[in-house]
Amino acid sequence: MAYNKHVVLAVQRDFEAKRRASEAKRAMRLEEVYALCPKIREIDEELRKVSFEIVGAISLGKEECALKIEQIKERNLALQKKRAELLVSLGLDASYTELEYECELCKDTGYVSGFLCKCYKEALSLKGYAHSGLAKLLEKQSFESFSFDYYKGEDRRVIEQNFEELLSFAKNFETDKRSFLLYGPTGLGKTHLSSAVARYLLDNGYDVVYESAQNVFADFERDRFRDRFDDEVELVSDKYLDCDLLILDDLGTEMVTQFSVSCLYNIINTRLNRGLPIIASTNLRSDEIRKIYHDRITSRLFGEFTIQQFSGQDIRRQKIIR
Ligand SMILES: [Zn+2]
């Protein structure tokens, strides 16, 4: 499990910004309140002194210390009470100058007793969606929202099998290192199911990248002309080789050139050697794939990928007709 480092950094920055904004807001409110009622400033100074007295009390004998702390507590409570009353008398809420948190559980730190807070995981998922290139698709497409109603007879049996296989793959991602080739005409659920896998994995902290083959190859092409000797420059195309799961959409629609073919070979070879799965989808038939790509690519695709066929009546068209 490896959250993408850009995603983690971005979320960390968001949380820091959240805390800073909350502290700035509190400072502003304090100034406002002090101006309205100088007595509250005095109380706050008093409260600060009281907290120092606690430190002093620790050096006393056990019984004396307990007694002293009891006294300090009482004074503290009395001061707090007075402070709250003053705020209310100004027509403000008693908690007006408290720090406000979006998440009370972790107080916007992102952690609860050393573990990632729910809010932090959600933020990572959302950033992950955006980073994966899937933000729009993931709003709707999940395993839960997949409908078998549009498939009939043998098509339905096949789609149910594809669904189960991909769901099991997502659930067992840590150990299941299969790659998939999804093929068949458009509008039969290839994108929906591959997005569902992506969403499931992003929600569980994996780094998923979803991109059309055409854009992937374009990124590699651009990176060719970057300064490869500058360590500071991070190649855009690295993510296609490094992410936990690569979803390569619409294979075969790119302009097939010697460069794109060698790119594809590089991606497949590098990822499979590293045990990093790929889900590739294509509208091409298997004979068309064989015609377009090299033997060394097709032998890996058909030899090492789990092949899933998608067949039936275009769902988008069915939805329009209904
Ligand atoms: Zn939280």
Side-chain angles (χ1 to χ4, degrees):
M1 159 150 161
Y3 281 108
N4 177 284
K5 66 177 183 216
H6 299 288
V7 169
V8 174
L9 283 175
V11 170
Q12 277 172 356
R13 273 197 299 272
D14 286 354
F15 272 66
E16 274 163 27
K18 229 190 287 195
R19 289 195 297 272
R20 268 201 307 275
S22 158
E23 277 155 20
K25 185 172 171 189
R26 176 172 190 246
M28 222 172 65
R29 288 188 161 188
L30 276 175
E31 285 312 314
E32 177 196 344
V33 163
Y34 290 163
L36 288 170
C37 173
K39 180 76 190 153
I40 294 180
R41 187 196 291 272
E42 284 169 30
I43 291 179
D44 282 353
E45 274 158 18
E46 200 64 22
L47 280 166
R48 251 191 301 276
K49 277 187 213 151
V50 171
S51 63
F52 282 120
E53 280 176 32
I54 292 186
V55 181
I58 294 168
S59 59
L60 297 170
K62 201 175 163 197
E63 267 177 43
E64 220 181 329
C65 170
L67 188 69
K68 184 77 183 165
I69 285 183
E70 200 49 46
Q71 286 169 353
I72 293 172
K73 261 195 208 160
E74 271 172 38
R75 248 184 69 217
N76 195 316
L77 280 176
L79 286 167
Q80 298 277 11
K81 189 160 168 272
K82 182 73 195 154
R83 191 182 192 281
E85 284 166 5
L86 286 170
L87 282 171
V88 172
S89 75
L90 292 171
L92 299 169
D93 196 277
S95 63
Y96 187 67
T97 56
E98 301 292 313
L99 278 174
E100 282 175 4
Y101 302 106
E102 266 177 43
C103 174
E104 283 300 329
L105 272 178
C106 68
K107 308 226 178 299
D108 294 348
T109 59
Y111 292 88
V112 183
S113 16
F115 292 97
L116 287 186
C117 180
K118 205 169 121 259
C119 74
Y120 201 76
K121 284 187 189 164
E122 277 168 14
L124 283 168
S125 284
L126 284 177
K127 267 286 186 268
Y129 289 177
H131 188 268
S132 69
L134 274 164
K136 268 273 163 285
L137 282 175
L138 291 176
E139 283 170 14
K140 288 186 203 139
Q141 303 191 318
S142 64
F143 283 112
E144 290 77 19
S145 69
F146 191 84
S147 166
F148 295 103
D149 294 348
Y150 299 100
Y151 304 85
K152 305 217 162 38
E154 175 64 8
D155 295 336
R156 172 138 182 173
R157 196 192 60 75
V158 170
I159 195 72
E160 281 176 356
Q161 194 184 327
N162 292 347
F163 179 97
E164 288 305 328
E165 206 164 28
L166 288 170
L167 179 61
S168 151
F169 168 72
K171 285 186 172 169
N172 300 299
F173 189 72
E174 202 55 53
T175 50
D176 192 340
K177 296 295 168 203
R178 279 181 298 171
S179 283
F180 289 83
L181 177 65
L182 279 42
Y183 80 99
T186 46
L188 292 172
K190 298 193 299 294
T191 302
H192 190 135
L193 284 184
S194 41
S195 318
V197 173
R199 181 178 176 143
Y200 188 97
L201 294 180
L202 286 163
D203 284 345
N204 285 283
Y206 291 100
D207 180 16
V208 181
V209 172
Y210 186 114
E211 196 53 84
S212 70
Q214 196 182 339
N215 288 346
V216 170
F217 301 142
D219 281 341
F220 274 98
E221 180 90 58
R222 264 193 295 276
D223 280 348
R224 264 169 113 185
F225 301 106
R226 284 179 191 238
D227 185 359
R228 289 201 165 255
F229 300 103
D230 183 354
D231 286 343
E232 293 301 306
V233 175
E234 202 176 336
L235 298 177
V236 181
S237 54
D238 281 351
K239 66 179 178 194
Y240 303 123
L241 302 176
D242 297 338
C243 62
D244 293 324
L245 174 69
L246 172 66
I247 300 182
L248 196 57
D249 199 24
D250 256 345
L251 193 61
T253 54
E254 76 279 7
M255 194 159 67
V256 179
T257 62
Q258 211 175 357
F259 179 74
S260 75
V261 171
S262 82
C263 256
L264 180 59
Y265 183 73
N266 177 26
I267 293 170
I268 294 177
N269 204 34
T270 307
R271 293 191 60 90
L272 295 195
N273 289 345
R274 291 181 184 170
L276 298 170
I278 304 168
I279 297 180
S281 74
T282 179
N283 301 334
L284 300 174
R285 294 189 312 270
S286 60
D287 59 313
E288 290 172 320
I289 297 174
R290 287 180 201 276
K291 210 188 288 173
I292 291 183
Y293 299 109
H294 254 263
D295 274 353
R296 52 184 195 153
I297 288 178
T298 53
S299 69
R300 291 211 89 159
L301 279 177
F302 292 103
E304 296 174 56
F305 281 53
T306 298
I307 311 288
Q308 288 195 344
Q309 192 188 350
F310 285 70
S311 53
Q313 295 250 314
D314 187 334
I315 291 170
R316 275 165 282 187
R317 213 176 304 157
Q318 287 190 60
K319 281 183 180 164
I320 296 167
I321 294 166
R322 280 185 180 193

